[in-house]
């Protein structure tokens, strides 16, 4: 009877040999990382035989490429990685968060006329009646991680309501309110200031449910008069004027990356 050989260790075989291995990605992912388009849009371009790698048309969306060496072209035009742009806008009330509105309403892109960046997209949304901090970037990986519910990046809102908010209602917002069969919960809520007939509250969320704060207030029989997003993670809107845009600073970017775990991933 022959001796049984010990099983082969597979750890070394699955570990990338060097940093170059990390540059190998699927073609849709490559187009996304280059800031050209989303992965869904890339898959459509590939299916339409409009994408070539090193001069050869690729129709397989699962094809792998080396970002460090591949020469990728769309409709015969070679694309290159765009410089990464990170902007914040103090969104005015009345603008919709879309590039083109079929109803012809003004959009947030009306505030970005001075930025000729074709693939600049909003990170998340603010509805037409909401105001405040809205991020834009052409870094699709950054946007996806920032929006991922797993990262639990908090968004802070200042909300004006049509009455005084009592302790019972504040507690209800943090313990959970059911609306249309869905349990909606705020990470934190507190009173900011109040007058004779209305008041301002601060609400933190770590999830992106549709119209979440407005729905919670509606379930409490309360009307939302104004809703302003004032912070995302540790990034604050500050004194940025209404409708104004500015680039994020490097310390602000690093803080957001630390908050989402991106800094740790990049080091590894």
């Amino acid at each position: 009877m022959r001796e049984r050989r010990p099983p082969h260790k597979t750890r070394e075989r699955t570990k990338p040999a060097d940093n170059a291995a990390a540059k190998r990605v699927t073609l849709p992912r490559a187009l996304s990382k280059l800031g050209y388009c989303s992965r869904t849009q890339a898959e459509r371009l590939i299916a339409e035989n409009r994408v070539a790698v090193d001069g050869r048309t690729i129709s397989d969306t699962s094809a792998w490429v080396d970002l460090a060496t591949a020469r990728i072209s769309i409709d015969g035009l070679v694309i290159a990685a765009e410089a990464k742009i990170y902007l914040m806008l103090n969104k005015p009330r009345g603008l919709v968060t879309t590039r083109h509105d079929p109803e012809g309403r003004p959009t947030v892109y009306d505030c970005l006329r001075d930025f000729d960046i074709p693939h600049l997209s909003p990170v998340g949304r603010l509805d037409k009646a909401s105001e405040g901090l809205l991020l834009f970037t052409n870094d699709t990986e950054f946007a996806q991680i920032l929006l991922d519910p797993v990262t639990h990046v908090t968004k802070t809102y200042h909300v004006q309501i049509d009455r005084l908010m009592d302790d019972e209602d504040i507690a209800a917002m943090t313990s959970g309110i059911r609306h249309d069969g869905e349990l909606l919960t705020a990470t934190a809520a507190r009173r900011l200031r109040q007058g004779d007939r209305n008041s301002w509250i601060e609400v933190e969320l770590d999830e992106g449910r549709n119209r979440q704060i407005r729905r919670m207030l509606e379930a409490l029989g309360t009307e939302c008069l104004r809703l302003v997003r004032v912070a995302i993670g540790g990034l604050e809107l500050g004194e940025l004027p209404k409708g104004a845009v500015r680039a994020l600073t490097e310390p602000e970017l690093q803080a957001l990356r630390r908050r989402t775990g991106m800094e740790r991933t990049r080091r590894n």
Side-chain angles (χ1 to χ4, degrees):
M1 184 174 179
R2 291 187 300 176
E3 290 185 351
R4 296 178 62 186
R5 293 181 179 180
H8 291 292
K9 295 181 179 179
T10 59
R11 182 178 301 172
E12 293 301 320
R13 289 191 297 173
T14 57
K15 183 179 180 180
D18 51 36
N19 290 337
K23 296 291 185 181
R24 282 183 52 79
V25 295
T26 62
L27 186 51
R29 177 72 168 156
L31 293 177
S32 174
K33 287 180 74 68
L34 289 171
Y36 186 83
C37 60
S38 70
R39 275 182 276 185
T40 300
Q41 292 168 327
E43 290 172 354
R44 184 163 56 248
L45 291 172
I46 294 167
E48 293 171 354
N49 293 318
R50 297 171 60 186
V51 183
V53 178
D54 298 329
R56 184 169 63 91
T57 300
I58 303 295
S59 58
D60 182 4
T61 57
S62 63
W64 287 72
V65 298
D66 188 336
L67 272 176
T69 60
R71 185 173 180 269
I72 304 174
S73 59
I74 309 292
D75 296 332
L77 299 176
V78 176
I79 64 171
E82 293 181 330
K84 295 295 187 283
I85 305 295
Y86 309 89
L87 304 176
M88 69 156 63
L89 163 69
N90 185 350
K91 175 191 175 297
R93 187 172 185 170
L95 303 184
V96 293
T97 308
T98 184
R99 186 179 292 274
H100 304 291
D101 182 64
E103 300 178 27
R105 295 172 296 180
T107 81
V108 291
Y109 283 90
D110 293 337
C111 300
L112 302 174
R113 293 190 186 96
D114 295 335
F115 296 87
D116 186 18
I117 306 171
H119 309 300
L120 197 64
S121 299
V123 182
R125 305 178 70 84
L126 282 174
D127 62 35
K128 180 183 176 184
S130 299
E131 314 164 48
L133 178 57
L134 183 63
L135 298 181
F136 289 82
T137 186
N138 58 356
D139 186 341
T140 55
E141 182 179 14
F142 173 83
Q144 289 166 1
I145 292 177
L146 200 59
L147 292 172
D148 192 331
V150 174
T151 59
H152 295 292
V153 176
T154 58
K155 283 81 173 176
T156 306
Y157 301 82
H158 288 178
V159 187
Q160 185 184 30
I161 59 175
D162 66 343
R163 64 179 179 84
L164 307 185
M165 182 71 90
D166 57 33
D167 292 339
E168 185 178 347
D169 290 333
I170 290 289
M173 296 188 77
T174 55
S175 61
I177 297 172
R178 193 163 294 278
H179 183 275
D180 289 342
E182 188 175 14
L183 186 63
L184 306 174
T185 307
T187 306
R190 68 183 184 91
R191 284 185 294 271
L192 288 174
R193 58 187 181 273
Q194 59 186 31
D196 295 331
R197 298 184 178 179
N198 58 61
S199 57
W200 284 86
I201 61 173
E202 182 177 83
V203 182
E204 286 187 10
L205 304 177
D206 66 356
E207 55 185 359
R209 307 287 184 89
N210 184 41
R211 299 181 67 253
Q212 182 168 342
I213 294 176
R214 296 181 188 278
R215 292 167 62 197
M216 295 173 77
L217 293 173
E218 182 181 327
L220 293 172
T222 303
E223 182 182 355
C224 177
L225 302 178
R226 286 185 66 190
L227 191 151
V228 185
R229 182 157 64 194
V230 296
I232 298 176
L235 178 66
E236 296 184 353
L237 180 62
E239 300 300 321
L240 187 67
K242 192 79 66 180
V245 183
R246 74 164 177 84
L248 270 62
T249 66
E250 190 58 32
E252 288 172 336
L253 274 173
Q254 290 177 359
L256 280 176
R257 289 186 175 119
R258 284 194 299 271
R259 194 70 172 260
T260 60
M262 288 181 70
E263 281 293 327
R264 184 169 58 253
T265 301
R266 293 169 75 182
R267 286 197 299 269
N268 293 339

